[in-house]
Amino acid sequence: MVGQWRRWGLAAGSGVALALALPGPGLVPLLLLTPGLLRRALEGVRGWAAFRVGWVAGTAQWLAAVPWVVIVLHRYGHLPLPVALLGWVVMAAILGLTWGLAAWGTAETPRRWHLVVLPLALAGVEVLQGHPPWGFPWNPVAAAATAWPWLLSPLPVVGSAGLSLLLLALGAGLAGLLERPSRRQGAVVVAASVALLGLAAWLTPPPRPVDEPVKVAALQPDVPLEFRWDAENLAAIESNVWELSTLAARAGAAWVVWPESAVPRVVERDAVHRTRIEAFARRHGVWLTLGSIGLSPGGEEYFNSIFTASPAGLLPHRFDKVHLVPFGEYIPVVGRLPILRPLVREVGSFTPGRSRLPVPGPVGPTGLAVCYEVAFPSLAAAEVLAGASILVTITNDGWYGDSAAPRQHLALAVLRAAETRRYLVRAAVTGISAIVDPRGRIIERLGFGERGLIMAQVWAGEGVTPAVRWGITLRWAIVAAWLAAIITARHRRGGKAQTG
């Protein structure tokens, strides 16, 4: 049996191992330790005791993975440091509840099942984490694989949740090999995981570029938040963005992508700004993708929007952000706690968009995402199913400083590119801006805190991957398999009890 303090140590170690494998630290092999350590911590416990073990593991994982929350709350939210630290702990504890559910569900099944059920449970709660009451699909296990693009080969078939499951199963199987009673079962799980990863990689359709390439430029003006908040700096901010745009056009870019809120003006209300945008696109013969606040017809609702200008003028097609930022544009579960309101300063009045249709662009129909919503595989999938031939995401990661957060955010964009087999252009105010190819390889990148632009040739893509077509079904199948294991185990226990 495992002693109590050792149990808590194993649980915390399993969470920290995953956090260290994720972008930022990037110690990828450590993710294989997570299921084995947690399985060991669950030895001999069930019910609420198992839930507490999982909750400790999950809370430790989130504490180690998102310390940048303190930067947001303290530096930009202006909360006292002790209060900011408390906010970080509260957030981690709430998100850690998903691991508690995974541990509880695993402990409801016989221990000999745990090598399979625990990976199912962890992947299952990863799916649930993207839905209410959490609504925060940040840092999936698959994100760790973005550091090694060859690991992304199965992604277009199994999706990010499927890749998370197979990597966790591989780790669980390897842990099983180290214990005599589970050695044979561990070997089977390892063999099955490797076989499924290999089969998915073999079945993955190759990228299908079509038409002629287009040279795209993603701007990174590197304007700190404190500088943006001073109204006297508006002219300097605008000059910076227009200078970079002109450099891109003169370097041969046919398409220029601005980051989120690059210029703090409202396109639909500011006739001077709109005229300048249209004049620039017409004069240089370029397309321009930019973020701005969008307005409802009556002007009573506000949207976080993306506009597109062609050489012929501003297009009537506007994309409104669908998934608003938790702890910013809305706060899930703990929305009434004042301690967490400063996670994003400009909050409170945005309305979520409803359309997931791509908009016209120089490469073809363009799937768009603003900031955090690139974390949702369903959005990119819906856009590709609707005909998107390329993806674009714009963001402002200046809130998080030079922490793991911009790297974690970039990894989500890489997952979407590889899942959909589409080029993806990412423009970030302070970084990290990147252009990602359909295999999930970053072909151009500009680091955090650097000013400039990146350029590359991109192609339209066609075809629909299995992860796009059946992604929702695959994700919920993982949850269903986990629940089925719990129900089956309980049914068998009930049958034995009646027999006895």
Side-chain angles (χ1 to χ4, degrees):
M1 293 293 292
V2 178
Q4 193 69 4
W5 286 107
R6 186 164 181 242
R7 189 186 307 281
W8 299 132
L10 288 167
S14 69
V16 172
L18 178 56
L20 293 177
L22 291 167
L27 303 175
V28 181
L30 291 183
L31 76 84
L32 298 175
L33 299 178
T34 293
L37 292 173
L38 185 54
R39 176 173 168 268
R40 182 74 172 132
L42 288 171
E43 186 177 309
V45 295
R46 283 184 56 199
W48 282 108
F51 181 91
R52 288 193 296 271
V53 169
W55 178 72
V56 167
T59 301
Q61 193 272 137
W62 284 105
L63 284 173
V66 297
W68 45 263
V69 169
V70 178
I71 298 174
V72 182
L73 290 170
H74 180 53
R75 183 186 303 173
Y76 300 118
H78 307 294
L79 289 178
L81 182 58
V83 179
L85 290 168
L86 178 60
W88 167 48
V89 172
V90 168
M91 178 180 173
I94 291 172
L95 292 168
L97 294 173
T98 60
W99 285 53
L101 289 174
W104 169 83
T106 300
E108 288 298 295
T109 66
R111 179 162 175 77
R112 65 181 181 278
W113 295 11
H114 288 188
L115 289 182
V116 174
V117 175
L118 182 56
L120 272 174
L122 290 173
V125 297
E126 182 177 291
V127 173
L128 296 179
Q129 188 183 301
H131 298 272
W134 294 280
F136 192 62
W138 193 267
N139 280 345
V141 172
T146 60
W148 297 350
W150 59 270
L151 266 180
L152 301 178
S153 299
L155 201 60
V157 171
V158 299
S160 59
L163 183 57
S164 294
L165 170 60
L166 291 175
L167 293 174
L168 288 166
L170 178 60
L174 290 172
L177 287 173
L178 301 177
E179 300 177 14
R180 186 184 298 272
S182 59
R183 192 163 294 164
R184 181 177 297 177
Q185 187 185 15
V188 171
V189 173
V190 168
S193 302
V194 172
L196 288 172
L197 287 167
L199 178 62
W202 181 68
L203 292 173
T204 290
R208 293 166 57 185
V210 295
D211 300 329
E212 295 299 314
V214 171
K215 183 177 282 189
V216 63
L219 306 191
Q220 186 168 302
D222 190 34
V223 178
L225 290 175
E226 297 91 341
F227 193 79
R228 284 174 51 84
W229 290 338
D230 189 338
E232 294 182 358
N233 296 324
L234 176 59
I237 292 170
E238 284 190 284
S239 177
N240 184 12
V241 173
W242 286 115
E243 179 186 344
L244 290 172
S245 301
T246 302
L247 286 173
R250 289 176 178 171
W255 183 17
V256 179
V257 179
W258 288 6
E260 182 184 13
S261 305
V263 174
R265 290 188 182 274
V266 180
V267 171
E268 293 176 326
R269 278 186 179 165
D270 193 326
V272 173
H273 184 47
R274 174 174 177 151
T275 299
R276 189 172 186 181
I277 289 168
E278 294 181 323
F280 177 87
R282 182 172 57 253
R283 181 170 63 254
H284 293 284
V286 301
W287 289 67
L288 189 61
T289 298
L290 65 144
S292 179
I293 292 176
L295 307 173
S296 64
E300 68 280 356
E301 290 183 313
Y302 298 85
F303 302 87
N304 194 346
S305 303
I306 299 179
F307 295 81
T308 304
S310 76
L314 195 70
L315 272 59
H317 309 277
R318 185 185 82 191
F319 173 81
D320 298 327
K321 185 176 184 180
V322 176
H323 299 283
L324 300 181
V325 178
F327 308 106
E329 293 155 329
Y330 88 100
I331 303 180
V333 183
V334 288
R336 303 297 181 266
L337 291 180
I339 187 175
L340 294 181
R341 289 295 295 174
L343 266 171
V344 178
R345 181 169 168 172
E346 298 162 337
V347 300
S349 60
F350 285 121
T351 299
R354 298 174 181 85
S355 174
R356 290 170 169 81
L357 295 176
V359 304
V363 176
T366 304
L368 300 170
V370 181
C371 189
Y372 148 85
E373 64 185 349
V374 76
F376 292 84
S378 57
L379 175 61
E383 291 173 330
V384 169
L385 286 171
S389 58
I390 192 167
L391 302 177
V392 170
T393 178
I394 64 173
T395 186
N396 182 3
D397 288 351
W399 304 98
Y400 314 114
D402 191 8
S403 66
R407 294 153 182 85
Q408 293 167 357
H409 202 179
L410 172 61
L412 298 170
V414 171
L415 291 177
R416 302 293 83 83
E419 270 177 344
T420 60
R421 281 299 202 226
R422 296 294 190 270
Y423 277 92
L424 183 144
V425 181
R426 183 179 200 265
V429 174
T430 55
I432 304 167
S433 298
I435 300 173
V436 188
D437 79 2
R439 297 183 186 276
R441 299 174 300 196
I442 297 174
I443 54 178
E444 293 291 341
R445 171 186 178 130
L446 193 58
F448 189 89
E450 299 180 41
R451 177 184 179 272
L453 57 91
I454 52 175
M455 299 179 64
Q457 300 272 17
V458 295
W459 281 260
E462 65 177 9
V464 176
T465 66
V468 167
R469 189 175 300 280
W470 298 301
I472 293 175
T473 302
L474 289 169
R475 288 191 290 276
W476 287 109
I478 293 171
V479 177
W482 169 43
L483 295 178
I486 298 172
I487 293 169
T488 301
R490 286 192 155 196
H491 178 73
R492 291 180 61 173
R493 277 204 308 273
K496 288 179 180 179
Q498 290 179 1
T499 302

